[in-house]
Amino acid sequence: CEALANPLWYHAAIQGGHRVAQVSLADNLMLQYMTARDNLSTKEAESIILMACILLTQALHQGYDSLDMLHRIRDVECSRLNDAGVEIPSDEFFQSAVIQVLLLSMS
């Protein structure tokens, strides 16, 4: 059953636009990131965080109060970038796709 959760949430979130599925999948993606972050490439880590960020932004625009989760994602992304040696703030920081989505969704 656990192996089916992400594909089912993905289908409901993307195909159906179901905001609770979007939040559930985003939460699960962040759990996966937090448990595996030491074994992920930079690209994999950014992709997981970006997908979670986009899903929460979709849910926010559909009326779900996901701002607290977006703030936590911001903190995780800032920590990830800081660990990679990126100064905050800097041009490289603002070039992060996650930061760009966050800035648009939280404004």
Side-chain angles (χ1 to χ4, degrees), residues 53-99:
C53 184
I54 289 169
L55 287 164
L56 290 173
T57 299
Q58 284 180 314
L60 180 68
H61 289 287
Q62 293 175 14
Y64 192 97
D65 186 10
S66 56
L67 276 176
D68 286 343
M69 293 177 81
L70 285 166
H71 285 281
R72 286 194 300 271
I73 285 183
R74 179 199 57 206
D75 295 343
V76 168
E77 179 66 357
C78 286
S79 176
R80 186 186 74 79
L81 291 171
N82 192 43
D83 291 347
V86 175
E87 287 189 41
I88 301 171
S90 67
D91 289 341
E92 190 177 1
F93 171 77
F94 288 111
Q95 289 174 356
S96 161
V98 175
I99 296 300

